Amino acid sequence: MSEIPPEDVAQEAPASDRPSTSQLVEQAVVLPGEALDLPATPAAEHVTLNEQRVRQVLAMGGGDWAEVTARRHAEDDDDIMVINMGPQHPSTHGVLRLVLELRGEEVVSCQPVVGYLHTGIEKTAEFRTWVQGVTLVTRMDYLAPLFNETAYCLAVEKLLGVQAPPRAQALRVLMMELNRVASHLVWLATTGLELGALSVMLYGFREREEILDILEDVTGLRMNHAWVRPAGVSQDLPDGTEEKVRKFVADMRGKADEYETLLTNNPIWLERTKGIGHLSQDQLVDLGVTGPMLRASGLAHDLRKVEPYCGYEQYDFEVPTATGSDVYARYQVRLAEMRESLRIVEQVLDSLPGGPTMVEDPKVGWPARLALGPDGLGNSPAHVNHIMGESMEALIHHFKMVTEGFKVPAGEVYVTVESPRGELGYHVVSDGGNLPYRVHVRDPSFVNLQTGGPMVGGLLVADVIAAMSSIDPVLGGVDR
């Protein structure tokens, strides 16, 4: 091994010339209105262990934390304590971080910090075909994947100038309403657990399992289904699904009554939810809040009524509202919405039209004819026999559609659906190619999360859990 020449060996600066750790940290303190700049990178021979540690702290620390702590440092208020709640906290409904300023047990301010579950789905969609985009967007709001699939596909269909067949639209409504009930059950179960109602958690997940079994029967998966496709759905209902759904609807109505018996007049539940997290209707509208939070303030805004899609205008249902605009009112609205969803599901089954589940146009419709077999979901035997043994042209078309997809005319659309959390919007741009030019999502969890700060000010720490839970945020949709 050759020796390093003495002139190439890094020489450490004299101790008297090196700043102390405290001096470096003081240089990095962010005062209100100032930007956070890293100290200038010193020459390699002058990098000390202390400087390395400071730079690591700055690199790993969040700007939000630095801003809050610097403000408290400047105000010199010894009664204020700054703490992190999350992102590992089980009661923040995902990897949500709340920077809380406390005076004793009272919350002075709350600053939500997001981004810990960022996956780059919107950007990734620009490098996938229009059909492949479904497998990405379904992973955003993982408690309501069918709503993401439907909104995205409605946007693509609007650009294409096509509509899914009537049966496909009815099936979308059927599955979305089941998915809405499942999502509200998760909210009820987790909120119950966080406020001490352990039985409600067990019951909520018990009923959700029945819905997930139905979704698995139809799509092949419990979540992240990629079942809704541009111009239709991937496959029809398997035999026996209608009877299974009807049985669930009948059972679920009785279960909803049980939830009300347990909670609605429960003195502990009332104490933990009544008057907690109150926001006026004007505040909610100013913040762009939609969904159960807005309807709990008395405003009956529901896109299924205001701007119907997928044939919602032909179904008879009410838009539940409440007037308390607190955690309890949001509980009332979500419980009532589950009942209305069950009404819609029954109506869909009673009026389910026949016909195909995908448009007949071979240049747009997905070529595969999927079916559930003994080894799971896959191409139907008849379709495999056709492309492999009967028609070379069909095989070529299948290959081209799967690998390259179809081209979408140039244009720009914004399409919305009413998800369990509010207005879910897709802004989709096409440049005329087989890949999206831009896909941007208005996720209701992200918008509604703005209410966290004004809602919890003045509450106790224990009430922060109830108030934030009433937003029902799903961080996959917030960060995406």
Side-chain angles (χ1 to χ4, degrees):
M1 182 183 298
S2 60
E3 294 184 0
I4 301 175
E7 60 272 14
D8 292 341
V9 177
Q11 300 295 321
E12 188 174 359
S16 58
D17 297 337
R18 296 197 303 266
S20 66
T21 303
S22 60
Q23 290 174 327
L24 288 168
V25 172
E26 286 176 2
Q27 294 172 14
V29 169
V30 184
L31 297 177
E34 293 185 352
L36 173 61
D37 294 322
L38 292 174
T41 305
E45 61 268 28
H46 298 306
V47 175
T48 66
L49 180 59
N50 284 343
E51 292 174 20
Q52 291 176 20
R53 285 174 177 167
V54 170
R55 295 184 63 81
Q56 288 171 355
V57 169
L58 290 174
M60 293 184 293
D64 308 276
W65 177 263
E67 176 188 336
V68 174
T69 53
R71 182 169 67 246
R72 284 301 152 206
H73 176 77
E75 294 177 1
D76 195 24
D77 189 345
D78 293 336
D79 293 336
I80 298 295
M81 178 172 59
V82 182
I83 66 167
N84 273 312
M85 179 179 286
Q88 296 89 4
H89 199 288
S91 294
T92 56
H93 290 253
V95 283
L96 172 65
R97 174 183 169 205
L98 303 175
V99 179
L100 300 176
E101 292 182 87
L102 306 178
R103 179 176 282 108
E105 281 289 312
E106 180 186 346
V107 178
V108 177
S109 74
C110 169
Q111 188 165 330
V113 183
V114 300
Y116 293 93
L117 204 58
H118 178 57
T119 49
I121 287 176
E122 293 174 332
K123 190 64 179 178
T124 305
E126 298 175 15
F127 299 89
R128 298 293 182 269
T129 66
W130 293 96
V131 173
Q132 289 173 334
V134 178
T135 63
L136 294 172
V137 300
T138 189
R139 286 163 166 77
M140 292 190 200
D141 185 340
Y142 39 77
L143 293 182
L146 289 163
F147 292 87
N148 281 286
E149 297 175 21
T150 300
Y152 171 79
C153 290
L154 287 174
V156 177
E157 290 164 9
K158 192 171 183 179
L159 287 168
L160 286 168
V162 303
Q163 274 194 337
R167 183 174 180 85
Q169 296 203 41
L171 292 179
R172 289 177 178 180
V173 172
L174 173 73
M175 297 289 277
M176 280 192 290
E177 293 308 314
L178 287 173
N179 200 179
R180 190 186 309 276
V181 176
S183 178
H184 284 345
L185 283 171
V186 172
W187 175 84
L188 185 66
T190 53
T191 303
L193 174 64
E194 290 157 3
L195 301 187
L198 182 61
S199 298
V200 175
M201 185 275 290
L202 298 173
Y203 300 155
F205 279 106
R206 179 187 64 187
E207 272 71 79
R208 177 175 178 260
E209 280 298 307
E210 295 185 36
I211 298 177
L212 295 186
D213 287 343
I214 295 172
L215 299 185
E216 186 175 13
D217 288 345
V218 177
T219 70
L221 294 167
R222 289 163 57 88
M223 55 194 299
N224 303 337
H225 313 281
W227 176 76
V228 182
R229 304 287 176 89
V233 297
S234 63
Q235 71 269 2
D236 208 336
L237 299 179
D239 295 339
T241 301
E242 291 188 35
E243 293 75 16
K244 192 171 183 178
V245 173
R246 289 187 186 276
K247 182 180 183 303
F248 168 76
V249 170
D251 292 343
M252 185 61 208
R253 284 203 172 96
K255 300 297 172 49
D257 292 338
E258 292 181 10
Y259 303 153
E260 285 210 273
T261 302
L262 282 170
L263 297 177
T264 301
N265 295 313
N266 186 304
I268 300 176
W269 183 259
L270 291 171
E271 185 72 22
R272 293 301 309 275
T273 58
K274 276 272 192 180
I276 303 300
H278 178 271
L279 288 174
S280 69
Q281 189 177 108
D282 289 340
Q283 286 178 295
L284 295 168
V285 171
D286 289 344
L287 290 170
V289 175
T290 55
M293 287 194 72
L294 182 61
R295 293 189 284 273
S297 71
L299 185 57
H301 178 78
D302 189 314
L303 291 172
R304 295 173 295 175
K305 290 283 191 181
V306 178
E307 297 180 14
Y309 53 92
C310 291
Y312 267 108
E313 63 275 6
Q314 60 187 302
Y315 304 114
D316 179 30
F317 65 98
E318 303 296 327
V319 178
T321 61
T323 57
S325 198
D326 55 10
V327 177
Y328 186 78
R330 293 158 200 154
Y331 151 74
Q332 289 178 306
V333 168
R334 290 188 174 100
L335 194 60
E337 284 188 2
M338 287 195 279
R339 298 183 188 277
E340 294 302 316
S341 291
L342 297 177
R343 284 182 61 191
I344 297 174
V345 168
E346 280 191 326
Q347 293 175 61
V348 172
L349 293 177
D350 292 339
S351 61
L352 192 61
T357 58
M358 180 68 70
V359 295
E360 300 293 342
D361 185 355
K363 294 183 179 180
V364 175
W366 186 246
R369 297 297 177 262
L370 302 180
L372 286 170
D375 57 345
L377 182 67
N379 293 319
S380 67
H383 180 70
V384 173
N385 182 60
H386 176 62
I387 64 174
M388 299 301 293
E390 297 177 353
S391 173
M392 175 59 72
E393 290 77 12
L395 177 61
I396 294 172
H397 175 70
H398 180 105
F399 179 79
K400 294 284 284 183
M401 284 291 287
V402 170
T403 56
E404 295 182 4
F406 49 77
K407 292 185 177 181
V408 173
E412 180 175 351
V413 297
Y414 179 71
V415 175
T416 58
V417 301
E418 185 69 35
S419 88
R421 275 152 282 285
E423 179 183 323
L424 173 64
Y426 273 75
H427 176 214
V428 180
V429 183
S430 172
D431 60 359
N434 65 326
L435 309 177
Y437 179 79
R438 183 74 172 99
V439 176
H440 179 63
V441 181
R442 181 213 186 270
D443 189 88
S445 290
F446 179 78
V447 179
N448 295 353
L449 202 57
Q450 297 176 96
T451 61
M455 192 164 52
V456 304
L459 297 180
L460 300 180
V461 175
D463 294 329
V464 172
I465 300 300
M468 298 303 296
S469 173
S470 70
I471 301 174
D472 190 21
V474 174
L475 274 296
V478 172
D479 295 339
R480 50 184 193 285

